[in-house]
Amino acid sequence: MAGRREKYGQSIRGSRIAGAIAIGVLLGCVFAFLYPNGFFSPDPRSQSRPVSKSNLQVDSPNCESTEGVNMMKSENRKLSEKNAELQKQVRELNQKLQAAQQGNGRTQEQLVVSSQPQKAGPFGTVKSLRTNPPVMPDESVNPRLAKLLAEIAVGKEVIVALANSNVKSMLEVWFNSIKKVGIPNYLVVALDDTIVEFCKENDVPVYKRDPDENVDFIGKSGGNHAVSGLKFRILREFLQLGYGVLLSDVDIVYLQNPFDHLYRDSDVESMSDGHNNMTAYGYNDVFDEPSMGWARYAHTMRIWVYNSGFFYIRPTIPSIELLDRVADRLTTQPNSWDQAVFNEELAFPSHPGYVGLYASRRTMDIYLFMNSKVLFKTVRKDANLKKLKPVIVHVNYHPDKFPRMKAVVEYYVNGKQDALDAFPDGSE
């Protein structure tokens, strides 16, 4: 009995399994027919959309909607406009930031170093750079002047003097002394038409600036100080064109070629108003204040001013900044003396509320580039110094300029030994 029940149960279980398999196969066939792409198709639309020729044409990339393309172009244009507006705002912010930084006296200046970092050498062998690199010439600043300078300059250097009709007689002594020495690279910047014609008559290189109402008024009617102040604005174009300029007043007699005696190791190389080695090259001056007791003595370093009527200036960024600073101060402070402003900008260091000018400078030899105080107070009375032949003599200390200039020519050029004797040391 037990054996029969066991065989019967096994037959029932086998029938159930067979039936389940049959049902599964049937259901699989039904689902395969109804859902040929399966339950989890990546494109649900394909489950309910029959494949047809028209549907294939809609999916083709060659038949994109014109409206869709136009919408994309419109969006792209809007994005471009927004980008341009953002760039404009960034530029404006950068400009405002730069202006704010320039106005801040504590702004740290960027130092551009042309060489790689170097190790310091042994004690006593270290030498720093003193010569700033020249600017890149820009002929678009003044094509007419650029063409003229290319014809007359030697080694990208030229002597420049400003003159109007008030100094015509001194100008003649000036350019005749230059011709006598044989200096070819010099130019007169004429401030009125009379000087233009005068220079042309005497075969002197001359240049007259394009009309400028303010410059023309000062140039035609101004005195020595007013005309002297113009040179800082006018010289800027020469430097921008890449030329080194030896700026010269017209109360100067040339006895040698000054370009043979320049060092060219500084932004500005100027003659001094000093009358001996101490005053010209610097000295320790002691200030005494007795009320301070033990600390009554204060040491100061002094140097007599550079003469703004005769200096060599290289075409560098600090040099151009110097001209801009002086010209600006002379415009905004009309009662200022150009020579005082020139020296203040060169000498005053950076301090709270003020950023100084980082320009290198050199003082010329006072016996080669001689002022009239040195000549008439010292040199003419010294047997040894009288044997020296200076490069130039600048009659800057005396108001009777024209007769003293002629006397200098008589003494040094024509050899008249007593030509200087009749004049007093000062302006008595």
Side-chain angles (χ1 to χ4, degrees):
M1 291 290 292
R4 285 196 299 268
R5 283 196 301 270
E6 184 177 347
K7 290 181 180 178
Y8 178 75
Q10 290 177 350
S11 64
I12 293 175
R13 286 194 297 270
S15 299
R16 290 177 179 175
I17 292 171
I21 292 173
I23 293 171
V25 171
L26 179 61
L27 289 174
C29 292
V30 172
F31 285 125
F33 177 77
L34 294 177
Y35 301 99
N37 295 319
F39 285 108
F40 303 103
S41 171
D43 186 3
R45 292 173 296 178
S46 63
Q47 297 177 9
S48 59
R49 184 180 64 187
V51 178
S52 67
K53 184 177 181 180
S54 61
N55 286 336
L56 290 174
Q57 289 175 345
V58 171
D59 291 340
S60 174
N62 295 326
C63 300
E64 292 183 353
S65 170
T66 303
E67 181 180 354
V69 173
N70 291 337
M71 289 179 63
M72 292 178 65
K73 289 182 177 179
S74 177
E75 290 295 326
N76 185 55
R77 185 166 54 251
K78 291 179 180 178
L79 289 173
S80 298
E81 292 175 353
K82 289 181 179 180
N83 184 50
E85 182 65 24
L86 287 173
Q87 290 180 347
K88 180 181 177 181
Q89 292 176 1
V90 170
R91 286 196 299 268
E92 291 176 350
L93 288 173
N94 284 335
Q95 291 173 355
K96 291 179 180 179
L97 178 61
Q98 291 173 359
Q101 289 176 338
Q102 290 173 358
N104 188 344
R106 294 187 295 271
T107 299
Q108 294 184 355
E109 300 293 338
Q110 292 183 348
L111 178 63
V112 179
V113 181
S114 59
S115 60
Q116 295 296 325
Q118 300 178 5
K119 291 183 178 179
F123 179 80
T125 66
V126 177
K127 301 293 182 184
S128 62
L129 295 176
R130 292 170 175 80
T131 307
N132 286 303
V135 298
M136 182 179 295
D138 182 6
E139 293 190 1
S140 65
V141 171
N142 191 330
R144 184 165 65 90
L145 178 59
K147 182 179 178 181
L148 177 60
L149 291 175
E151 296 173 354
I152 65 173
V154 175
K156 300 285 285 186
E157 295 176 329
V158 63
I159 298 173
V160 175
L162 278 65
N164 62 14
S165 300
N166 295 333
V167 295
K168 185 176 178 181
S169 58
M170 288 189 292
L171 177 64
E172 185 172 15
V173 178
W174 180 85
F175 65 64
N176 281 336
S177 69
I178 288 177
K179 290 181 178 182
K180 182 72 174 179
V181 174
I183 304 170
N185 48 330
Y186 68 102
L187 177 68
V188 174
V189 176
L191 299 177
D192 56 41
D193 293 332
T194 300
I195 293 299
V196 173
E197 295 303 319
F198 182 61
C199 288
K200 290 180 178 179
E201 292 170 359
N202 289 275
D203 195 26
V204 171
V206 63
Y207 166 73
K208 192 172 188 296
R209 301 176 73 253
D210 293 332
D212 184 310
E213 183 177 349
N214 293 328
V215 172
D216 289 346
F217 175 77
I218 297 174
K220 292 177 181 178
S221 59
N224 288 342
H225 285 300
V227 172
S228 185
L230 285 178
K231 62 195 171 199
F232 298 98
R233 188 176 299 275
I234 293 174
L235 285 183
R236 193 185 205 277
E237 292 183 348
F238 287 79
L239 300 193
Q240 285 182 278
L241 293 173
Y243 288 85
V245 176
L246 186 58
L247 188 281
S248 173
D249 282 353
V250 296
D251 56 345
I252 293 175
V253 175
Y254 286 77
L255 302 168
Q256 299 184 60
N257 190 332
F259 292 109
D260 295 337
H261 300 271
L262 297 177
Y263 285 80
R264 301 176 178 85
D265 63 348
S266 304
D267 296 304
V268 178
E269 196 168 341
S270 180
M271 73 172 296
S272 172
D273 272 3
H275 60 93
N276 55 29
N277 288 349
M278 284 180 56
T279 57
Y281 309 138
Y283 62 102
N284 181 8
D285 184 49
V286 180
F287 175 78
D288 184 10
E289 190 175 7
S291 63
M292 288 297 295
W294 175 82
R296 62 181 294 180
Y297 299 112
H299 291 258
T300 69
M301 303 309 299
R302 296 189 61 185
I303 183 175
W304 284 30
V305 296
Y306 289 133
N307 191 288
S308 64
F310 189 87
F311 60 87
Y312 176 75
I313 185 166
R314 295 180 61 250
T316 66
I317 292 298
S319 296
I320 294 175
E321 184 181 0
L322 169 65
L323 298 180
D324 288 351
R325 287 184 175 215
V326 176
D328 179 67
R329 285 187 56 185
L330 293 176
T331 300
T332 56
Q333 304 169 15
N335 294 325
S336 300
W337 181 27
D338 69 283
Q339 181 159 291
V341 175
F342 175 71
N343 279 272
E344 288 170 1
E345 292 298 337
L346 276 174
F348 287 173
S350 296
H351 55 262
Y354 175 78
V355 178
L357 179 71
Y358 294 89
S360 56
R361 58 195 188 274
R362 167 181 281 273
T363 305
M364 292 177 170
D365 188 313
I366 62 172
Y367 295 111
L368 292 179
F369 299 91
M370 192 182 298
N371 63 56
S372 56
K373 181 176 182 178
V374 173
L375 175 61
F376 287 97
K377 187 176 180 180
T378 304
V379 171
R380 66 171 177 169
K381 301 174 183 179
D382 188 293
N384 291 321
L385 293 177
K386 287 177 66 175
K387 298 176 183 177
L388 297 175
K389 185 177 184 179
V391 176
I392 60 104
V393 174
H394 188 180
V395 187
N396 61 313
Y397 268 99
H398 301 88
D400 50 339
K401 297 179 182 295
F402 184 56
R404 290 189 187 244
M405 288 178 71
K406 291 193 296 182
V408 169
V409 173
E410 288 293 324
Y411 181 79
Y412 284 109
V413 179
N414 299 328
K416 188 177 180 181
Q417 295 300 306
D418 61 347
L420 304 176
D421 296 346
F423 297 94
D425 289 354
S427 54
E428 299 175 2

